[in-house]
Amino acid sequence: MGIGVSVFLIAVGGILSFAVSDRISGVDLTVVGYILMGAGALGLIMAVLITSQRSRAGRTSVTERRTYDE
């Protein structure tokens, strides 16, 4: 899950938790919103950790020089 998807889940979860007052029988939209916000926060933390580990990885480049003697 990338950073964009995580932010989207947090936003949708916040909307469901705090802005929607409709009722669906058998579904508590507030709890669904909290679950989405939690999943988005967890995904955001994981994405940031994975990205920071990638940037710390050493990058090496090998340059080969060829000399031509006559």
Side-chain angles (χ1 to χ4, degrees):
M1 181 179 337
I3 293 174
V5 174
S6 298
V7 171
F8 177 75
L9 286 177
I10 292 170
V12 170
I15 290 169
L16 285 176
S17 295
F18 305 117
V20 175
S21 61
D22 289 341
R23 301 272 180 207
I24 298 176
S25 63
V27 178
D28 188 0
L29 291 178
T30 304
V31 173
V32 172
Y34 285 136
I35 291 171
L36 288 176
M37 286 193 301
L42 184 64
L44 185 62
I45 291 169
M46 299 272 296
V48 168
L49 288 176
I50 290 171
T51 303
S52 68
Q53 287 178 354
R54 253 190 236 159
S55 66
R56 276 192 243 149
R59 293 188 180 106
T60 59
S61 64
V62 176
T63 304
E64 184 178 326
R65 292 186 183 197
R66 294 185 181 197
T67 57
Y68 297 102
D69 296 328
E70 291 182 27

